[in-house]
Amino acid sequence: MRRQWKSVSVLLVVLLMAISVLSACTKSDSGNKNSQARATNGSSNTENTGSGENVSKDPIKLRLTAWGAPDEIAAFKKAVASFEAKHTNIKVDFQAISADYDTKLTTMVAGNDEPDIAMMESSTIAFPLAEEGKFVNLQDFLDKDTELTVDRLVPNIMYSSEPGNVVGIAPGPESFALFYNEDVFKDAGLTPPPAKASEAWTWDQFVEVTKKLTIDNKGKNATEEGFDPKNIKQFGVNVPTWWGAYSNFIYSNGGDFLSEDGKTFALNQPEAVEAIQKISDLINVHHVAPSPVQAKNIPGTNVALQTKKVAMAFDGQWASTSLAQSKFNFNVGVLPVMKQPMTTVVSGMFSMFKSTKHPEEAWELLKALIDPEASIELLTAGTWMPSHKEWYTDESYLTRWTENLPSRPSGYKDAVVEMVLSNSHATPTAYVKNFNKIMDIVNPALDKVWLGQQTAQEAMDSIAAKAQAQVQGRRDVQ
């Protein structure tokens, strides 16, 4: 009997041990699932043990890379600090890369060491990485987010590898305008450039004004007999000869870099050729703009206008910062029109890598980076423009970054703000596939146009076949 009870006792002990092990395994599995769920949604930085106690978890870590001038880096740091204050369970490792950004980021990607969010340049590294499938489609977040939607963003600041696949969003647009020295116009007794698109100069009107403002060393202007085009003291206008500057007039004239279906090189088509030729004529026929050789002696827009080396200058709105710091009477007008008012929008963008372990949190960080509140100092200084449309249409927001500021002269709202909203075109880097390879062929040919060695038609026809061989289509068509 005693042996039988002993056997039963042993059996009970074994059963109890088995039950305890099974119970522990079940609890452990349940805990892992709960932890995984919390890590996925990032909703808490504490874990409930079931006994009412909260145990601290390590914070979620995100990595951000970006480039920029010191004031831009400061704005990013401010956005990160504000983000971390609102999301106490998240820490952001911000890496400011001042030189060789694309090379260093490419090295990170090759080593499977991508950041969660990275600032990208559309004309260089962004789309090659997008075509490798490296980026999250931000359209999915825009579709479900209640705070940030497509309708709340200004036009032409989203970059898509194809329709419906948004690979980057800019912190704000940058556009082009016509800056000028007010005193030069006053001294010449000329009416300054209009600010409203509806009142914009035609191209011919613009040329006539630039002639009157181009002065040689003897004081004669380009309309007067005896004017010496080889010895010019003040040019009527400075015209950059990179694609961002001349694209404004290609679009204004109804032209494009590629055909509408994306199958054909289009810079040798009449609309584009005419626009390019008219810009060349400013240099080589009318002698009102410096040639590439003469331009080497022309300082930046702020100094060139301040010292009256030029009377007007085509430039990006970002020039407002240095112009304001130069402390002279400058203003801004709308670009002259060929067929319709137009300005090209250019900008960097923020993209999210698919390798991120925390996509929801990374999206919140991206939103914080493009929030105008985070970059208000850059907006008021003149460096940036806001990404959110309400900062253009709501007077209480608009006033904060456009009124009573040295960087925002009287013409700014019409010549820049309204143009971005109503008369802007996406940068060709956003939709022309293989853009850099095409332009590697185009640029040397255009150099001959700017130097007056070939007409625009001759130059573009001479490279059309080679350029066509690089055409791979448009990103904005299916």
Side-chain angles (χ1 to χ4, degrees), residues 62-63 114-120 129-130 133-139 141 165-169 349-367:
L62 298 176
R63 285 174 61 208
E114 300 99 339
D116 298 272
I117 298 291
M119 196 172 187
M120 308 297 296
L129 289 177
K134 294 292 185 181
F135 297 138
V136 171
N137 183 359
L138 301 179
Q139 185 67 55
F141 288 97
N165 189 358
V166 179
V167 298
I169 302 175
M349 59 177 159
F350 286 108
S351 300
M352 183 193 304
F353 277 92
K354 279 186 179 178
S355 56
T356 180
K357 296 178 181 178
H358 308 288
E360 296 292 339
E361 291 81 4
W363 170 245
E364 292 301 317
L365 174 58
L366 191 152
K367 286 166 57 180

Side-chain angles (χ1 to χ4, degrees), residues 306-325:
Q306 183 183 31
T307 58
K308 301 180 182 179
K309 295 287 185 183
V310 299
M312 299 179 285
F314 295 140
D315 208 338
Q317 80 83 37
W318 57 83
S320 302
T321 301
S322 58
L323 285 164
Q325 293 169 349

Side-chain angles (χ1 to χ4, degrees), residues 210-225:
T210 59
K211 287 180 179 180
K212 294 176 182 177
L213 293 174
T214 300
I215 312 297
D216 69 11
N217 289 338
K218 295 180 180 179
K220 293 183 178 293
N221 70 46
T223 67
E224 295 178 311
E225 187 176 349

Side-chain angles (χ1 to χ4, degrees), residues 33-56:
K33 290 175 182 176
N34 289 337
S35 296
Q36 289 168 1
R38 281 190 292 272
T40 299
N41 60 36
S43 60
S44 175
N45 66 338
T46 60
E47 180 179 350
N48 194 313
T49 64
S51 61
E53 297 179 0
N54 288 332
V55 180
S56 295

Side-chain angles (χ1 to χ4, degrees), residues 126-140 142-143 150 158-168 349 354 429-434 472-478:
F127 285 116
L129 289 177
E131 286 159 5
E132 292 176 21
K134 294 292 185 181
F135 297 138
V136 171
N137 183 359
L138 301 179
Q139 185 67 55
D140 296 337
L142 289 165
D143 288 342
V150 173
M158 295 194 308
Y159 293 82
S160 299
S161 59
E162 60 185 6
N165 189 358
V166 179
V167 298
M349 59 177 159
K354 279 186 179 178
T429 64
Y431 65 88
V432 177
K433 292 183 179 180
N434 211 29
Q472 296 179 1
R474 298 175 64 121
R475 302 183 190 280
D476 54 356
V477 297
Q478 203 72 44

Side-chain angles (χ1 to χ4, degrees), residues 5 72 108 134 203 232 235 358:
W5 174 248
E72 292 172 308
M108 291 181 190
K134 294 292 185 181
W203 189 261
I232 295 176
F235 286 97
H358 308 288

Side-chain angles (χ1 to χ4, degrees), residues 42-45 57-60 81-91:
S43 60
S44 175
N45 66 338
K57 290 176 60 181
D58 291 335
I60 290 171
S82 177
F83 174 79
E84 289 179 333
K86 293 178 182 177
H87 302 82
T88 56
N89 64 319
I90 304 175
K91 294 298 179 184

